[in-house]
């Protein structure tokens, strides 16, 4: 006979303006670690380093698109094993805070929304739009039970759940937030629920929910934020849901850093104010594959790097930093507890140069894969059913005698333009409106436009914007029609697909390099290098002399590289390597270097001090 018993009470509670854990005064000392940015075989190492930092909790987002990239096709194993990550944290003595969104920002592609959702015509994201709510409801029907059964009240480690994410920076639909709150409660979420918004009246006005703990996200002026929240929400404790002790980077900018003393000083300020906090990020990890998002400054797209190191206390490869040591000292002084020492940084392969073998040229290879779709106007990524990667568009217009200017309306995001197999220009969204002058003799040409999605916008009013060619291609005033479009989902290609695309290879340096490299392949296309490994270990890849492209290791898409930086090296986790021969494959879009290099330390580029703003 099974005894019926009421569920245990929530772990965290609030009384008299204080945060309690099972009735006793408590302070949340958390750090953000995203399971989706860390190789699963390294989860334990990174979580153990949180314990060594002196933290008592870990928080993570749950990116909807990572788990349900295609509608109805969900993944919950391997790198997607959310429940395994949460359970592991609990085994190590850490509480867990879950931030299920459905919007997460996180500098993650599309802010965590699936492209099949945001591609719905007329959908109003993050609102009471019934079409949007229906999709969120179906997702929550799958996700929330997984969270509920891992709550502390059920014997698990989850002690808090965040409601939406910085909504006050986006909209003001109070009914939407109330609907989300009701869904959490209906799904059996009994642990502490809270909102997180910037520390301004405007953001808190629209983002907070009556009866739900309001917290702040900030990088400085913690005492001011504490005073603001306490003035607005009498009887609530001060929770800094994100303390930005570092910052992320965009391509073409500098690597953002924050001094160890400066970061530790704000941690001390939060604790002195009687507050709880989460370090964002405690360990940043890596935007593997094509999952990095983008911002928009009102003029141009700002794609996010492959590295998400974020100048965090625990570096991208798990290394312990001076910031780690300073924050650890502050936390130990506040708690009176000396945490265990951190283990050694994972081993790194020795530096070496890896000769290249060139394979198929860019257009020859990309023309050979998949089945093209045909349409009068260039179809978008969404119309082609592809959320990331490349699309190769082709048409056969007549170029008039005397030539014409080719322009692209609504280019998202970057295009290589070819005429009869010869590259004639590289365009971004702004340049595409100015265009390229093409010569002509009254004959039809083979016009090919290779468009790269550089990351979907993850923050602000352009969230959910489409990708590809959204407004058509013109020669002077005349639209180019009758297009074929070949979808190229790079992060879905496996080792066999890559091998077929690379084809026969030719060494270009070192012994046996007497073979001729096809002209196109000498400029752009596929190439491979081999890494012999006795015992797998971490590595840092560098691409001196290369232009822009993508790199796979044993069939796993590590991410993008680009000569404009600031990122110089690309972290290669040891678990991606195997004893024996390992294959590195690159798809270079612009210009090959002579060799790929293994380096022994991270090089993330020229540094600039992070400055907080609330735009």
């Amino acid at each position: 006979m099974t005894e019926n018993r009421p569920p245990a009470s929530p772990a965290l509670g609030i009384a008299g303006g204080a945060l309690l854990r099972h009735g006793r005064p408590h302070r949340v000392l958390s750090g953000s670690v995203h399971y989706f940015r860390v190789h699963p075989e390294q989860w334990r190492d990174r979580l153990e380093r949180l314990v060594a930092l002196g933290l008592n909790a870990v928080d993570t987002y749950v990116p909807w698109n990572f788990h349900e990239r295609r509608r109805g096709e969900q993944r919950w194993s391997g790198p997607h094993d959310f429940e395994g990550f949460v359970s592991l944290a609990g085994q190590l003595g850490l509480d867990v805070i879950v931030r299920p969104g459905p919007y997460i920002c996180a500098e993650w592609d599309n802010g965590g929304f699936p492209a099949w959702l945001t591609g719905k015509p007329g959908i109003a994201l993050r609102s009471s739009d019934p079409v949007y709510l229906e999709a969120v409801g179906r997702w929550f029907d799958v996700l929330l039970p997984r969270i509920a059964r891992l709550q502390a009240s059920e014997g698990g480690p989850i002690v808090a759940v965040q409601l939406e994410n910085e909504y006050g920076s986006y909209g003001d639909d109070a009914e939407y937030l109330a609907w989300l709150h009701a869904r959490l409660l209906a799904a059996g979420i009994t642990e502490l629920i809270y909102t997180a918004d910037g520390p301004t009246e405007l953001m808190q006005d629209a983002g907070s929910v009556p009866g739900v703990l309001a917290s702040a996200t900030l990088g400085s002026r913690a005492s001011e934020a504490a005073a603001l929240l306490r003035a607005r929400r009498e009887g609530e404790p001060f929770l800094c849901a994100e303390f930005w002790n570092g910052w992320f980077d965009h391509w073409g900018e500098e690597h953002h850093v924050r001094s160890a003393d400066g970061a530790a000083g704000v941690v001390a300020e939060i604790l002195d104010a009687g507050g709880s906090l989460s370090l964002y990020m405690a360990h940043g990890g890596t935007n593997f594959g094509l999952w990095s998002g983008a911002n928009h400054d009102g003029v141009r797209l700002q794609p996010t790097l492959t590295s998400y190191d974020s100048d965090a206390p625990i570096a991208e490869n798990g290394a312990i930093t001076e910031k780690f040591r300073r924050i650890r000292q502050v936390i130990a002084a506040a708690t009176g507890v000396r945490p265990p020492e951190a283990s050694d940084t994972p081993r790194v392969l020795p530096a070496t140069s890896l000769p290249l073998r060139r394979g198929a040229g860019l257009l020859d290879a990309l023309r050979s894969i998949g089945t093209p779709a045909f349409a009068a106007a260039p179809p978008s990524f969404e119309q082609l059913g592809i959320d990331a990667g490349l699309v190769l568009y082709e048409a056969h217009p007549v170029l008039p005698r005397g030539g014409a200017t080719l322009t692209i309306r609504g280019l998202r995001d970057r295009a290589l333009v070819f005429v009869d197999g010869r590259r004639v220009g590289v365009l971004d969204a702004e340049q595409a409106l100015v265009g390229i002058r093409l010569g002509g003799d009254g004959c039809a040409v083979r016009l090919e436009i290779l468009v790269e999605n550089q990351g979907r916008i993850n923050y602000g009013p352009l969230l959910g914007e489409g990708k590809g060619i959204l407004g058509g291609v013109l020669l002077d005033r005349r639209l180019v029609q009758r297009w074929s479009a070949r979808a190229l989902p790079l992060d879905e290609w496996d080792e066999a697909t890559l091998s077929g695309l690379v084809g026969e290879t030719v060494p270009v340096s070192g012994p046996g390099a007497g073979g001729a490299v096809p002209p196109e392949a000498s400029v752009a296309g596929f190439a491979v290098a081999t890494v012999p490994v006795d015992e797998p270990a971490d590595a840092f890849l560098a691409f001196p002399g290369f232009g822009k492209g993508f790199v796979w290791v044993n069939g796993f898409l590590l991410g993008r590289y680009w000569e404009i930086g600031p990122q110089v090296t690309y972290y290669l986790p040891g678990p991606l390597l195997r004893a024996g021969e390992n294959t590195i494959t690159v798809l270079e879009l612009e210009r090959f270097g002579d060799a790929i290099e293994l380096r022994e330390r991270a090089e993330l580029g020229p540094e600039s001090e992070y400055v907080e703003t609330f735009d």
Side-chain angles (χ1 to χ4, degrees):
M1 179 177 177
T2 302
E3 180 184 352
N4 292 323
R5 60 178 179 84
S9 60
L12 299 181
I14 298 169
L19 185 66
L20 308 176
R21 194 178 199 282
H22 295 308
R24 303 182 63 178
H26 181 71
R27 195 194 314 257
V28 171
L29 300 171
S30 182
S32 292
V33 177
H34 299 154
Y35 61 96
F36 44 92
R37 283 183 162 124
V38 181
H39 192 285
E41 293 182 30
Q42 296 175 321
W43 286 348
R44 176 177 288 274
D45 175 84
R46 303 315 193 249
L47 291 172
E48 287 176 343
R49 292 173 192 276
L50 255 66
V51 175
L53 184 55
L55 302 180
N56 58 24
V58 59
D59 65 77
T60 183
Y61 286 117
V62 182
W64 184 357
N65 53 6
F66 186 65
H67 291 279
E68 193 180 8
R69 187 169 183 176
R70 292 183 177 83
R71 179 170 174 160
E73 297 179 15
Q74 294 169 359
R75 297 175 289 183
W76 295 100
S77 61
H80 306 86
D81 187 7
F82 161 73
E83 291 157 292
F85 177 82
V86 170
S87 297
L88 177 59
Q91 293 167 22
L92 297 174
L94 291 166
D95 287 339
V96 178
I97 299 170
V98 180
R99 312 174 77 182
Y103 166 76
I104 67 169
C105 185
E107 294 69 59
W108 188 255
D109 190 70
N110 223 21
F113 286 130
W116 56 258
L117 174 71
T118 58
K120 289 179 179 291
I123 193 169
L125 302 173
R126 305 179 74 187
S127 77
S128 298
D129 174 14
V131 175
Y132 170 71
L133 293 184
E134 188 273 334
V136 173
R138 283 188 297 99
W139 166 236
F140 272 12
D141 285 343
V142 175
L143 173 62
L144 295 184
R146 296 174 183 270
I147 296 173
R149 59 178 171 253
L150 287 169
Q151 294 179 105
S153 58
E154 300 294 330
I158 294 176
V159 300
V161 177
Q162 183 176 296
L163 174 65
E164 238 273 356
N165 186 58
E166 295 184 322
Y167 183 72
S169 302
Y170 181 83
D172 63 0
D173 189 339
E175 290 185 9
Y176 165 55
L177 295 183
W179 183 90
L180 289 175
H181 187 211
R183 286 305 300 254
L184 293 178
L185 296 176
I189 302 301
T190 58
E191 300 297 332
L192 180 69
I193 299 174
Y194 70 100
T195 58
D197 289 282
T200 70
E201 295 280 3
L202 178 73
M203 295 176 183
Q204 291 289 329
D205 283 344
S208 57
V209 174
V212 175
L213 174 64
S215 73
T217 60
L218 55 88
S220 63
R221 304 191 300 277
S223 57
E224 295 178 24
L228 172 69
L229 289 180
R230 285 167 173 156
R232 292 174 56 89
R233 307 293 288 265
E234 185 178 355
E236 290 189 358
F238 174 43
L239 170 61
C240 175
E242 292 183 10
F243 164 52
W244 307 320
N245 64 96
W247 202 246
F248 60 92
D249 299 327
H250 296 130
W251 293 108
E253 300 177 7
E254 293 186 321
H255 172 46
H256 293 97
V257 297
R258 184 161 194 179
S259 72
D261 285 344
V266 180
V267 171
E269 184 183 357
I270 294 170
L271 300 182
D272 289 345
S276 294
L277 84 160
S278 179
L279 301 173
Y280 193 94
M281 298 290 295
H283 168 65
T286 308
N287 291 314
F288 295 119
L290 304 176
W291 287 114
S292 54
N295 293 103
H296 199 284
D297 65 2
V299 177
R300 60 183 63 82
L301 189 76
Q302 299 171 294
T304 303
L305 296 186
T306 297
S307 171
Y308 199 66
D309 176 89
S310 301
D311 195 37
I314 304 165
E316 188 175 8
N317 68 325
I320 299 304
T321 66
E322 180 60 25
K323 185 178 292 183
F324 179 101
R325 287 183 279 270
R326 289 288 296 114
I327 291 176
R328 185 175 189 264
Q329 291 170 358
V330 170
I331 292 174
T335 62
V337 176
R338 180 179 175 85
E341 296 297 324
S343 57
D344 293 337
T345 300
R347 190 171 63 88
V348 176
L349 294 177
T352 189
S353 182
L354 306 173
L356 282 181
R357 294 181 61 90
R358 303 275 178 83
L362 180 65
L363 291 179
D364 285 343
L366 299 185
R367 289 167 180 163
S368 71
I369 188 168
T371 302
F374 296 91
S380 67
F381 275 58
E382 292 73 24
Q383 290 170 320
L384 292 168
I386 180 176
D387 60 349
L390 305 168
V391 170
L392 180 60
Y393 297 95
E394 181 176 337
H396 297 265
V398 172
L399 277 176
R401 289 182 175 85
T405 297
L406 179 143
T407 56
I408 304 175
R409 292 178 176 172
L411 173 62
R412 304 291 185 273
D413 297 309
R414 190 171 188 268
L416 305 182
V417 181
F418 301 84
V419 174
D420 293 334
R422 181 177 63 89
R423 196 180 84 185
V424 296
V426 181
L427 301 173
D428 61 20
E430 294 175 85
Q431 296 161 343
L433 296 174
V434 176
I436 303 170
R437 187 69 187 177
L438 304 177
D441 57 6
C443 296
V445 297
R446 184 179 194 175
L447 173 64
E448 292 169 288
I449 303 175
L450 182 63
V451 174
E452 177 190 355
N453 169 0
Q454 293 190 293
R456 292 177 183 272
I457 291 171
N458 54 255
Y459 180 83
L462 296 180
L463 178 70
E465 185 179 58
K467 294 295 182 179
I469 296 176
L470 307 182
V473 178
L474 292 89
L475 290 173
D476 290 339
R477 297 182 181 182
R478 187 185 71 203
L479 277 170
V480 178
Q481 297 179 310
R482 296 173 57 85
W483 289 87
S484 69
R486 198 176 295 270
L488 304 167
L490 310 184
D491 54 348
E492 298 183 32
W493 293 348
D494 57 18
E495 284 189 270
T497 301
L498 287 169
S499 178
L501 286 168
V502 171
E504 295 295 324
T505 60
V506 177
V508 295
S509 62
V517 178
E520 185 188 354
S522 67
V523 177
F526 282 94
V528 296
T530 301
V531 186
V533 173
D534 294 328
E535 180 182 355
D538 289 352
F540 295 97
L541 301 179
F543 302 90
F546 288 69
K548 188 180 197 299
F550 309 87
V551 55
W552 291 259
V553 178
N554 293 329
F556 178 87
L557 181 55
L558 199 65
R560 302 173 172 91
Y561 64 85
W562 197 357
E563 64 179 343
I564 68 171
Q567 187 173 359
V568 176
T569 61
Y570 299 80
Y571 175 57
L572 169 54
L576 292 177
L577 297 172
R578 55 201 176 210
E581 296 290 312
N582 296 267
T583 301
I584 297 177
T585 305
V586 296
L587 171 57
E588 170 58 50
L589 300 179
E590 297 184 1
R591 180 187 64 259
F592 279 113
D594 293 330
I596 298 171
E597 294 182 359
L598 294 187
R599 298 186 183 174
E600 295 182 0
R601 58 185 57 85
E603 299 174 46
L604 296 178
E607 297 179 351
S608 65
E609 184 78 7
Y610 158 73
V611 178
E612 178 181 355
T613 60
F614 288 106
D615 295 331

